């Protein structure tokens, strides 16, 4: 926010990568929301047959709710890039919070846990995916499942296994490789 305030505070005005796969991933995501009539087959590539949305890197778990909301509020589709950029930045904060909660489960000191969670978040190898593979950038996937596994093994409550299953399905529809 300090070095790039325009990109952080006006996320709809910037592309994190405007070449190669980055541009293609923005295009397939925005096209699916704004122009496609099907919820599972996109006509933006492989004309005239289209392609299944999960193979386009268009992050269906994010694109589908926005597409559904845009049927009710059509103007929201004009902000799809900004929403995606905002969620990418927000995922960094979410990851740090999850890592902090994991460290707290292991009884780590608060001050040490804060600094360590920030360091672990920024040392994630998934940060390299910001150059174009946005669906793989979300660093919260592993810490989220790890935290719920800790909670499950501590309590053995079935609700945590249900939460893990739902989380894994959503993560799969962000990007199948996650």
């Amino acid at each position: 926010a300090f070095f790039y305030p325009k990109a952080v505070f006006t996320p709809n005005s910037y592309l994190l990568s405007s070449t190669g796969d980055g541009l293609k991933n923005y295009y397939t995501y925005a096209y699916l929301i704004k122009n496609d009539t099907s919820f599972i087959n996109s006509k933006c590539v492989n004309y005239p047959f289209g392609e299944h949305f999960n193979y386009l890197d268009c992050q269906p778990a994010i694109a589908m709710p926005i597409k559904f909301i845009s049927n009710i509020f059509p103007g929201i589709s004009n902000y799809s890039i900004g929403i995606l950029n905002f969620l990418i930045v927000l995922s960094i904060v979410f990851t740090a919070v999850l890592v902090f909660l994991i460290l707290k489960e292991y009884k780590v000191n608060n001050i040490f846990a804060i600094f360590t969670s920030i360091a672990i978040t920024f040392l994630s190898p998934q940060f390299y995916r910001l150059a174009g593979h946005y669906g793989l950038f979300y660093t919260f996937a592993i810490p989220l499942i790890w935290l719920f596994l800790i909670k499950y093994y501590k309590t053995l409550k079935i609700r945590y296994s249900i939460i893990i299953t739902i989380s894994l399905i959503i993560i799969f529809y962000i990007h199948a490789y996650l």
Side-chain angles (χ1 to χ4, degrees):
F2 180 74
F3 290 108
Y4 304 106
K6 290 182 182 177
V8 171
F9 297 114
T10 57
N12 205 48
S13 302
Y14 293 91
L15 299 178
L16 299 173
S17 175
S18 61
T19 61
D21 283 343
L23 187 60
K24 187 264 307 175
N25 291 340
Y26 274 128
Y27 169 72
T28 56
Y29 162 80
Y31 188 93
L32 180 72
I33 293 169
K34 192 158 184 120
N35 299 320
D36 272 334
T37 56
S38 171
F39 273 87
I40 51 176
N41 190 36
S42 180
K43 297 285 186 184
C44 67
V45 295
N46 198 17
Y47 182 79
F49 306 107
E51 189 69 61
H52 190 272
F53 65 80
N54 211 30
Y55 300 109
L56 295 174
D57 285 341
C58 66
Q59 304 178 43
I62 298 168
M64 291 303 154
I66 296 171
K67 182 175 179 60
F68 180 75
I69 293 170
S70 72
N71 288 335
I72 301 166
F73 305 107
I76 199 168
S77 64
N78 295 330
Y79 298 99
S80 60
I81 300 299
I83 292 168
L84 182 64
N85 288 344
F86 176 75
L87 290 175
I88 287 171
V89 172
L90 186 65
S91 75
I92 298 168
V93 175
F94 188 50
T95 301
V97 169
L98 288 171
V99 172
F100 175 80
L101 293 174
I102 290 169
L103 292 173
K104 290 310 296 172
E105 288 289 330
Y106 290 117
K107 311 284 190 249
V108 175
N109 178 306
N110 279 342
I111 299 296
F112 186 70
I114 289 169
F115 289 114
T116 306
S117 64
I118 293 169
I120 289 171
T121 298
F122 285 107
L123 287 172
S124 172
Q126 290 171 275
F127 263 88
Y128 294 114
R129 299 297 174 204
L130 195 56
H133 295 276
Y134 311 118
L136 292 173
F137 177 79
Y138 297 100
T139 54
F140 69 84
I142 292 172
L144 178 72
I145 301 304
W146 187 359
L147 181 63
F148 286 135
L149 281 172
I150 291 170
K151 298 226 181 243
Y152 173 75
Y153 284 117
K154 277 188 169 182
T155 63
L156 294 176
K157 291 187 177 177
I158 193 75
R159 73 175 172 176
Y160 288 115
S161 62
I162 294 169
I163 291 170
I164 290 169
T165 303
I166 292 169
S167 298
L168 286 172
I169 290 169
I170 292 169
I171 290 168
F172 174 79
Y173 282 109
I174 289 175
H175 196 288
Y177 291 172
L178 286 177

